[in-house]
Amino acid sequence: MRILRLLTGAWSWLFLLFILIFFEVWSHVTYGRTFFGNIFNAQSILLAATQILMMALGLTFIIISAGIDLSIGFIAGLSAVTMAVVIRALDPHLAPGWSFLAGISAAVLISLIPGFINGWMIAKLKVPSFIGTLGMFGIARGAAFLIADGATVSIRNPVAREFGNGRVIFDLVPIPVLIAIIVTLTFHYLLSSTKFGLYVYAMGGNYASAVRAGVNTTRLTIIIFMISAFTASLMGLFYTGRFSAGAGDAGEPILLNAVAAVFIGGASLTGGSGTIIGTVIGSLIIAVIQFGLVFINVPPFWQFVAVGLVIIIAVLIDQSRDRLTGMSGQEEGA
Amino acid sequence: MKPLITVDNVHKHFGGTYAARGVSLELYGGEVLALAGDNGAGKSTVIKMISGVYQPDSGTISYQGENITGKNPYEVRDLGIETIYQDLALADNLDVGINIFLGREPMKRRLGFIPVLDRKTMRQEAIRALKDLGIVVNDLSIPVRYLSGGQRQAIAISRAVYWKAKVLIMDEPTAALGVPEQREVKELIGRLKAQGVGIIFISHNLNDIFEVSDRILVLERGRKAGERLISETDEDEVVKLMMGR
């Protein structure tokens, strides 16, 4: 029973390994060269995974707590636009470094506001998170396009460009990837090793038990929605840095991939399970599929089909884990 | 011997409904007091006033001679009066050790300065706590939802005992359990008694009450209909008291 549980728990690692080998072999057979050995390919996949991961990181906390955050796509857009607008306004007056700093600070701070409101609505007003964040999805979307005046805001700031496109450590690691690694390790520590993280699991597993144990669930809910907004805002910063332009819909196409990454990583819709490591693997799986399919000349729309299939497989495996061990969480609920 | 809990003439009403009308009781260490009564007789109201969930309109509640009327549920629990709820209040997705420590987790330092949860200590202490109560759980690393109802009940109880509860209030502890598990819980109640814990036991099942209790207090529409030593009464008399005759 334990071995089965371990195997079903490790399937996402095995699946990632499998698709890596699959694309590598395909590349050798068809083109006679390496796929992942190519540093440009590896960097592109990691950058794509970073985009997904930034949105999925904070979302992992929310989904473990048995909630959902649909607003992060447009919170990322709000962040991207705010950064671009501030830098554009300040560039004529300040050194590029200072206007960049002002831009990212303003973007992160503004993004925390919808995160706070989300948490407050859900914890205090008892609005279901699906509905509450759907409302915020619309509000953040409108705010992002209003700030940008409905257009894409381009900038010419060398620091921002370096932030989005530069590489460090022997010119190998893209800066966004490095930042993502640091942020991921921090949140991994928070979720796996602190009381804060434990209470997120407790709240998702049995809300009443967390309350009875003395957990301040209101504060906890507000904090995790602010974390979700924070990591989404980082995605927006990377976007504006990378393209030297901020757009209101910068993050929206990533939202569903981020949700998928969390579930592929082993989280359950009913809450109480999921890990940061799992979410990292989930993000990598999606990025590899997207990039790999393009690489082997499959029409890009097949990406959606492939990612969709992986989500369904992930959920089936998650369910079979309970079935294999002889019990289901829901039936036990009584 | 002084009583652990003294409830003195408490009243409680909700709108026009009088849930408790002058109820008094005493609970001593090492005894099981059964609260019996039909639905709506006021059993839950009385235990919720003891555990601090409700405040009585009048009357007092004392713990070891000290007046604790008006304290909130957390303060009452910290005094050593624990309530085992029907739904067990376990976090089903977490393991046994964490469930025993939830809200009071020990920490340790990694690399000398990073505070992290001390899962090892929690697990070891959980093994000890369960062993003290004669409970065997094979795999402590799995989420408690994979354990049987009886084991889960045992974990909820051992959490209370680990944190030095002197009074346990058990609301229908056997209601959701199969027959063998009911027996386990009843045996556990016997061992707790032997350790000097005072237990208030609510049940609809008269067989259970007669099996585990020392005394029985029957409530009827918010009033005390009678109080008997189990050895000096029988089911017929209790049923008559419950029906107000």
Side-chain angles (χ1 to χ4, degrees), chain A residues 177-299:
Chain A
V177 173
L178 180 70
I179 295 174
I181 290 171
I182 295 168
V183 173
T184 303
L185 287 176
T186 308
F187 284 119
H188 171 68
Y189 161 73
L190 271 180
L191 185 59
S192 68
S193 301
T194 67
K195 294 187 181 204
F196 166 78
L198 184 60
Y199 295 162
V200 175
Y201 283 103
M203 192 164 75
N206 182 344
Y207 191 89
S209 80
V211 172
R212 280 179 198 146
V215 175
N216 186 336
T217 49
T218 303
R219 200 178 64 186
L220 196 62
T221 305
I222 291 176
I223 291 174
I224 59 175
F225 275 93
M226 288 178 79
I227 287 177
S228 181
F230 170 73
T231 65
S233 81
L234 292 183
M235 190 264 143
L237 303 186
F238 294 154
Y239 181 97
T240 299
R242 190 163 170 203
F243 300 111
S244 280
D249 55 4
E252 195 271 334
I254 315 290
L255 171 65
L256 286 181
N257 283 335
V259 175
V262 178
F263 288 124
I264 292 171
S268 136
L269 193 58
T270 50
S273 62
T275 58
I276 296 292
I277 308 280
T279 298
V280 171
I281 301 292
S283 305
L284 283 169
I285 286 176
I286 295 174
V288 169
I289 290 176
Q290 287 184 331
F291 201 84
L293 289 181
V294 172
F295 186 76
I296 64 175
N297 277 328
V298 173

